Amino acid sequence: MKALTLKLSSESTTSGKQAKYLAIADALRKAIKAGQVAPTEGLPSARKLAQQLLVNRHTVMAALAELVAQGWVEARERSGYRVVAHLPIQSSLVINKVQQTQQSFKWKFRVKQNLAVTPKIKASEYSYNFSGGQPDIRKFPFDEFKSHFAQACQRPKIDNLSYGDSRGEADLIEEISTYLRRVRSITDKELMICNGSQEALYMISQLLLQPGDKVAVEQLGYPPAWAAFERTGAQLIAIKQDERGIIPAHLAQVFAQGKVKLLYLTPLHQYPTTVSLDISRRMQIYQLAVQYGVAIVEDDYDHEFHYDSQPIAPMAADDPAGLVIYISTFSKLMFGGARIGYVVASNTLIERLAAYKALINHKCNVLVQQSVAKWMQQGGFEGHLRRMTRLYHKRRDFMVLQLKSYQEQGLPIHFEIPAGGMAIWLDMGKSIVGLKEKLLAKRVYLQTEVEFNIRKKLSDDDLSDLELSDKNLLDKEYRFIRLGFAAMNEVEVTEGLAIIMATLYV
Ligand SMILES: Cc1ncc(COP(=O)(O)O)c(C=O)c1O
């Protein structure tokens, strides 16, 4: 057939932005659309087109293959290419028409559950971030960790990099289990790696709870855990607490009313008040759980950071009935984005959890797990922990000094020095309603009592059942803030505290 008039787009001829073969496909398509070649008519051979366009024949072949894929031309056996009988332009015209008639229609997904949307500004974006459990990520030994990550890539364990055991990398399970045996006295349980402890909380809830069940939680507590429990249709029951942690006598009353399936506890550093639950209360609570057949989820989220003495061993370390499900995380030891957490429980529960995890996301990132395992094997992990514990101890003491100096200046603040953890629970001595919003405007982030108090979730009917002493914990009486001391240096803490105090006590 005669040569076609083909015009290559200037983008391909001058800037080279568009690949040559795509520009040729484009020019051929335009020629077909313009009627230079009719449907079913043959195209010039690839050799001729290559000569005409001064390009390699393979480039023309790639352009023709593109047009075949788009449905404009078809290959004829041993006789080159021809234009298809029905051009795709006709079907796209039909589609356009349908689209025009439906222009006003907007699809709406019918979502079954309304979840809270993640805040637009992250706590870390504020100039002073007092959020409670944040480590100082700037101090993480990235260079040291990088070498373990590089090693995992240089000598990959090919078999493990595919799908497979949802419990996690055997090396990491071994390292953490050994560490827990040595440092936290947890011996007779199985361990599985999760995408942070939040995934463990979610899976535990899905496996153990059903609508109508009750979950006993600390009255001041960790809302992400509550959200996971409530997602199953279970009802949260707040257990009263005092300055020593939750009150066993109230727990006994709640258990006696029936239907409680789980008790969620943060015994070492109560979240958010930081109080350690003493041995005698732990024993009473454990005995009640055995008596009423209630499983305990023990969330030991920042065990290592304890300053004044050795931390008390977890409840999971002395669990003859096997009802404690122990969860912990690397979010404080590394950073939240590492997404390494773990759950330790009886073999049967771990098997079920692993089967459930396979359903959600198969397994956690293998390279990260292998790198953390190497980091632990070679001692880097414990070295980092020692350095961070020393640093956070100093930072706790520094914040205590600062707060004491404000007390000396006459501010009515009050606090107990926490034996461990990463935050101070501070009574501001007057209502702090509205303080958070004012501070956010001044680039200071912190969390206030109302955010941790389950009472704020109660309806007016529920409230009328409360005793007067409980009512005092509501709205206008909120006085506490949680001040993280680990993530910021002394200058940042000094400046941030000055803004907080000046804002509340003007
Ligand atoms: C009480 C509590 N549990 C668990 C976690 C850690 O959760 P994750 O491992 O999902 O990062 C935190 C972190 O803030 C926490 O405060």
Side-chain angles (χ1 to χ4, degrees):
M1 85 155 283
K2 61 180 167 37
L4 297 174
T5 314
L6 296 174
K7 203 164 171 296
L8 295 194
S9 75
S10 56
E11 214 181 50
S12 104
T13 47
T14 54
S15 67
K17 262 191 203 151
Q18 190 184 22
K20 194 84 174 198
Y21 80 95
L22 288 178
I24 296 172
D26 217 31
L28 280 168
R29 193 174 43 243
K30 279 185 186 143
I32 297 169
K33 266 167 125 181
Q36 286 190 52
V37 230
T40 72
E41 205 182 331
L43 291 178
S45 71
R47 189 177 47 79
K48 275 200 184 136
L49 285 170
Q51 277 169 358
Q52 176 188 345
L53 297 168
L54 302 175
V55 295
N56 189 299
R57 200 166 60 89
H58 294 296
T59 313
V60 174
M61 296 297 286
L64 289 166
E66 178 69 20
L67 287 177
V68 171
Q70 291 177 9
W72 290 89
V73 303
E74 60 194 6
R76 286 180 305 174
E77 217 174 311
R78 277 195 291 277
S79 57
Y81 290 83
R82 71 170 172 207
V83 177
V84 294
H86 301 286
L87 299 183
I89 191 168
Q90 282 153 359
S91 38
S92 62
L93 283 177
V94 174
I95 291 171
N96 277 348
K97 216 163 178 186
V98 173
Q99 276 172 350
Q100 274 164 17
T101 58
Q102 294 186 344
Q103 242 171 17
S104 54
F105 175 75
K106 284 267 178 286
W107 176 256
K108 257 205 166 155
F109 288 100
R110 290 179 54 190
V111 182
K112 282 197 304 189
Q113 295 157 340
N114 263 337
L115 297 172
V117 180
T118 328
K120 287 206 182 66
I121 308 182
K122 289 183 278 181
S124 55
E125 288 174 45
Y126 289 89
S127 309
Y128 305 96
N129 176 11
F130 284 96
S131 92
Q134 292 312 303
D136 192 340
I137 301 178
R138 299 169 295 192
K139 300 282 177 194
F140 186 74
F142 287 102
D143 275 343
E144 179 186 271
F145 191 74
K146 194 173 71 184
S147 66
H148 300 301
F149 204 83
Q151 215 182 335
C153 293
Q154 273 156 7
R155 273 172 258 135
K157 293 190 170 174
I158 298 289
D159 284 350
N160 304 22
L161 286 170
S162 188
Y163 300 106
D165 193 353
S166 301
R167 289 180 44 171
E169 281 300 280
D171 286 354
L172 184 58
I173 291 177
E174 176 61 31
E175 284 304 315
I176 301 178
S177 303
T178 309
Y179 176 75
L180 293 185
R181 249 194 322 275
R182 206 159 44 75
V183 178
R184 303 189 196 171
S185 314
I186 298 176
T187 50
D188 53 351
K189 291 183 189 291
E190 302 287 322
L191 184 146
M192 100 175 239
I193 309 292
C194 298
N195 198 317
S197 36
Q198 188 62 29
E199 187 182 56
L201 285 166
Y202 180 77
M203 294 195 302
I204 292 163
S205 313
Q206 293 295 321
L207 283 185
L208 299 186
L209 298 174
Q210 54 189 3
D213 285 343
K214 293 179 181 172
V215 180
V217 297
E218 293 149 316
Q219 176 181 338
L220 288 160
Y222 184 53
W226 301 338
F229 301 140
E230 283 188 306
R231 201 54 52 198
T232 64
Q235 186 195 352
L236 301 179
I237 307 289
I239 306 301
K240 290 181 195 168
Q241 58 192 82
D242 59 18
E243 60 295 336
R244 289 172 56 210
I246 69 163
I247 301 171
H250 187 222
L251 188 66
Q253 274 173 27
V254 169
F255 280 1
Q257 284 159 12
K259 285 206 163 180
V260 180
K261 283 279 161 54
L262 275 187
L263 165 64
Y264 170 74
L265 277 185
T266 49
L268 184 62
H269 302 136
Q270 203 276 326
Y271 186 94
T273 63
T274 76
V275 176
S276 290
L277 195 63
D278 62 38
I279 302 275
S280 80
R281 281 202 182 179
R282 284 173 189 233
M283 282 168 59
Q284 289 175 60
I285 291 168
Y286 186 81
Q287 276 154 15
L288 285 169
V290 173
Q291 182 185 343
Y292 289 97
V294 177
I296 298 176
V297 175
E298 179 178 23
D299 185 353
D300 200 10
Y301 55 99
D302 61 357
H303 186 96
E304 286 68 18
F305 302 131
H306 205 77
Y307 314 114
D308 295 340
S309 58
Q310 281 299 101
I312 307 177
M315 293 174 82
D318 185 13
D319 175 24
L323 53 73
V324 178
I325 306 166
Y326 180 80
I327 62 174
S328 193
T329 181
F330 277 58
S331 291
K332 319 289 176 180
L333 311 175
M334 294 177 72
F335 35 84
R339 301 321 295 143
I340 301 259
Y342 52 91
V343 51
V344 181
S346 67
N347 186 31
T348 33
L349 183 61
I350 292 292
E351 270 177 7
R352 302 274 162 81
L353 286 167
Y356 195 86
K357 182 164 171 67
L359 190 68
I360 311 178
N361 54 24
H362 290 292
K363 64 197 314 200
C364 293
N365 183 315
V366 173
L367 284 177
V368 172
Q369 290 185 68
Q370 289 178 352
S371 317
V372 174
K374 279 267 171 296
W375 189 43
M376 293 182 83
Q377 265 163 24
Q378 295 181 15
F381 167 74
E382 291 199 43
H384 175 60
L385 275 188
R386 274 193 299 275
R387 284 190 300 279
M388 289 303 102
T389 309
R390 271 199 303 274
L391 178 71
Y392 297 162
H393 190 167
K394 267 177 66 185
R395 288 184 174 179
R396 179 203 65 173
D397 291 349
F398 181 75
M399 189 178 269
V400 165
L401 275 181
Q402 290 278 307
L403 295 176
K404 283 191 170 157
S405 85
Y406 281 111
Q407 280 175 327
E408 281 154 18
Q409 289 167 39
L411 298 194
I413 58 175
H414 178 75
F415 62 97
E416 297 296 329
I417 301 176
M422 302 161 93
I424 290 181
W425 184 240
L426 182 66
D427 181 352
M428 299 302 274
K430 65 187 264 199
S431 167
I432 54 159
V433 172
L435 176 66
K436 176 158 178 148
E437 291 65 32
K438 285 185 196 155
L439 288 173
L440 291 180
K442 296 179 182 179
R443 312 292 308 151
V444 178
Y445 181 88
L446 51 66
Q447 286 170 293
T448 58
E449 186 185 345
V450 70
E451 295 167 72
F452 310 107
N453 196 328
I454 200 165
R455 295 286 193 219
K456 78 176 170 162
K457 296 159 69 69
L458 298 183
S459 67
D460 287 346
D461 282 352
D462 294 328
L463 293 179
S464 61
D465 293 341
L466 289 180
E467 293 158 20
L468 201 60
S469 59
D470 290 333
K471 283 196 176 127
N472 284 341
L473 284 169
L474 297 170
D475 55 301
K476 64 182 186 308
E477 290 301 324
Y478 285 123
R479 293 198 321 232
F480 285 83
I481 60 176
R482 185 168 148 91
L483 282 181
F485 54 73
M488 286 190 291
N489 63 32
E490 295 185 358
V491 175
E492 292 161 330
V493 165
T494 309
E495 291 174 358
L497 281 180
I499 300 174
I500 296 173
M501 301 306 173
T503 306
L504 189 63
Y505 304 103
V506 273

